[in-house]
Amino acid sequence: MKKSKYLTCAMSLALLITGCSLYGNNIPEEGTSSVTVQGKDSEKPTEENAQPPKETAPKAIDSPEVKAYKDFLTENYNDEELSVALVHLDEDDVYELALMHEKETTPNVYLYGYQEGEVVSLEIEVFPFYGDSGDFFYLDKANCFFYGYFSSNDEEVVTTEFVFSMKEGKPALDHTLCAKTRYDSDDTTYYIDDKEVTKQEFDDFNDEHSLSEFDPVSVTCVIDEYCAKLSGMGDADELEEALSRDYRVVYFSRETEIMEPALKPAIYLYPEQDNSSINVNLDIDGYYTELIPEFNTNNGWSVTADRNGDIRLDGTTYDYLFWEAMLKTEYTFDEGFCVKGEDTREFLESTLTTCGLNAKEKEQFIEYWLPKMENNAYNVISFQKAAYTDHAGLKANPAPDTTIRVFMAFYASDEYVDIKKQTIITPTRSGFTLVEWGGSEIQ
């Protein structure tokens, strides 16, 4: 998975969390982010229910525990390079300290608390640290934190999630959830607290503790590159600055500076033989907002497909595999088309054929996108390349002979925009063909 896996992991892990108060009493304020379109900055509301804390000027945190952490770091790590972060693990206003040693190849997350005027380690038996950079998550002031551990052998890949809460001043392991998937069959065995359960029992367990109102902003991921840095030079001003801000504000200002939606990417499969077994896997920089059907393998689907495009999974037949996400990218408009709203249907009919879509794919594309476009004075359209594909990896096994990915970004304009015309080369469909289309409306 790409480096920016954390929000995706946060969502997948959080869907398994149990016994946690999801929001506590700390709902972040609403905020906005800006997006640049054709050289103009316009205000763009952030994703509904995913508002980051407002970015404010740095303000030093003056509290007893922060003063104690400064003394602790000076006394114990004055000559070592560190990454540090002030976090809220339980429900009170007292910060905990997350610390990572830069000398470690993959920095582990060590936790410290403040109790009775002293800095104390939060390590417990079996858990001297809590995952590594990018795999440790917490819900701000909700008394719930967790990390994922991934391992594999010659036969299977194992995903384990450890879910903790603070009890009597120490982390307590509340639940261990595990999924073991075999390479040879994609069969998955599920465990809850070391007890083997059926997939239905596993799903029921998740439903019972449903996070259907899940707010991505509630989950914060501790990442080395986002944390404040200490150079090991004993610089008092550097230390003062490092412990001046709540990590959560820093994290979400970084995470939401450029996040764009990927709406209705639909994946079609056309194997050369009926009843073909196909694995389809996604690898995105961001987090999913919808999947139809739900993944039945790690980051993907294991399905059966026919030559006519029918896709079968768990007794249901689909025209395509559907996903939506927020991607960490910025769509480009260096070249494209400016089309009158009333001419959009004709434009799409012609251009989608050039892109390589067949009649059924075009019809379903137009059915979804035309209502969003035809009443605009003009639509400025650009079919994305690397800005999309570099942040939304797509693979299939067996590998397709032909892969066609069509992703349209557009924005409405009240007047004609002079834009360099985009050149589209028509692909040749041959052999096992995989087709995907999707898009994004830039507000």
Side-chain angles (χ1 to χ4, degrees), residues 3-74:
K3 179 65 175 176
S4 302
K5 66 182 179 181
Y6 18 85
L7 279 178
T8 305
C9 286
M11 177 167 277
S12 63
L13 294 174
L15 290 173
L16 302 178
I17 293 176
T18 64
C20 299
S21 172
L22 180 58
Y23 301 112
N25 297 312
N26 195 37
I27 300 295
E29 296 178 81
E30 292 188 353
T32 60
S33 61
S34 65
V35 60
T36 301
V37 177
Q38 291 296 312
K40 294 173 61 179
D41 288 336
S42 57
E43 287 301 308
K44 184 184 72 170
T46 54
E47 180 79 347
E48 184 180 358
N49 293 327
Q51 306 287 0
K54 285 185 178 178
E55 183 68 31
T56 58
K59 181 180 178 180
I61 299 173
D62 185 18
S63 60
E65 74 274 16
V66 173
K67 292 178 181 178
Y69 293 143
K70 292 174 185 176
D71 291 340
F72 169 76
L73 292 170
T74 299

Side-chain angles (χ1 to χ4, degrees), residues 277-292:
S277 296
I278 302 171
N279 292 323
V280 178
N281 292 94
L282 292 168
D283 183 10
I284 71 169
D285 289 343
Y287 60 90
Y288 299 105
T289 55
E290 189 166 4
L291 296 165
I292 302 175

Side-chain angles (χ1 to χ4, degrees), residues 1 4-17 22 134-139 146-148 150 161 211 214-223 251-252 255 286-288:
M1 185 175 287
S4 302
K5 66 182 179 181
Y6 18 85
L7 279 178
T8 305
C9 286
M11 177 167 277
S12 63
L13 294 174
L15 290 173
L16 302 178
I17 293 176
L22 180 58
D135 288 324
F136 175 76
F137 306 86
Y138 69 96
L139 281 74
F146 49 101
Y147 80 87
F150 305 90
E161 288 100 20
L211 298 186
F214 175 77
D215 177 356
V217 158
S218 295
V219 177
T220 304
C221 178
V222 175
I223 305 164
Y251 171 74
F252 281 106
E255 278 300 291
Y287 60 90
Y288 299 105

